[in-house]
Amino acid sequence: MEYEQNLKVINSGEAGEYVRVIVYKYWLDEDGKKDIELDPKYILLGAGEEKGWIKSEESRERSIYYYSSELSSNGKTSSFLTGFSIDSEVKTLYKEGSNELLYDGKQFYVDIQIQAVQSSNYQKAAMSAWGVDLDKVLKGE
């Protein structure tokens, strides 16, 4: 099943900025608690890498994307996210020694954090705030 979502980042300020989006995804058990045994790779994002977004880092639960250019004041990005879906492979995964589906009754959770630095002196701002050389990230290095 796909869950449509159209997420864009909007700069409502008066100065240009560079933005990044941090995405955390994981599973919740029947009690609403994080289940670290279940693999977040089955939570699929319709992310906009081909639309001006650059994936910089990825770990088991976290991905970081940067918008590839300065976002002007009162501007907005192309779609960052177009939706969510669950990999159909979860229908084939069973609890060990059981005929009960491993992901049955579980919920997925996606947390999206948006951060920005002003475009004036952005190199120092990005290094200070994010610990990255933004020029290298935007070049895909």
Side-chain angles (χ1 to χ4, degrees), residues 55-69:
K55 184 187 285 186
S56 170
E57 295 178 35
E58 185 169 36
S59 65
R60 186 170 192 261
E61 290 185 1
R62 182 183 82 164
S63 300
I64 300 176
Y65 296 83
Y66 292 85
Y67 194 58
S68 60
S69 60

Side-chain angles (χ1 to χ4, degrees), residues 52-138:
W53 290 93
I54 299 166
K55 184 187 285 186
S56 170
E57 295 178 35
E58 185 169 36
S59 65
R60 186 170 192 261
E61 290 185 1
R62 182 183 82 164
S63 300
I64 300 176
Y65 296 83
Y66 292 85
Y67 194 58
S68 60
S69 60
E70 178 183 347
L71 185 56
S72 63
S73 62
N74 297 312
K76 64 181 172 183
T77 66
S78 60
S79 290
F80 166 71
L81 188 68
T82 57
F84 310 96
S85 62
I86 303 302
D87 190 319
S88 61
E89 189 175 341
V90 299
K91 296 178 186 177
T92 66
L93 303 171
Y94 292 89
K95 292 182 181 178
E96 193 172 322
S98 167
N99 63 353
E100 188 178 342
L101 288 169
L102 185 60
Y103 288 80
D104 195 29
K106 307 298 191 235
Q107 296 178 7
F108 71 93
Y109 187 84
V110 178
D111 180 30
I112 297 175
Q113 299 176 2
I114 301 168
Q115 302 173 341
V117 294
Q118 286 189 351
S119 57
S120 65
N121 205 15
Y122 71 91
Q123 299 95 331
K124 287 184 180 179
M127 185 57 76
S128 175
W130 303 332
V132 299
D133 181 332
L134 191 54
D135 287 330
K136 286 185 177 180
V137 169
L138 297 177

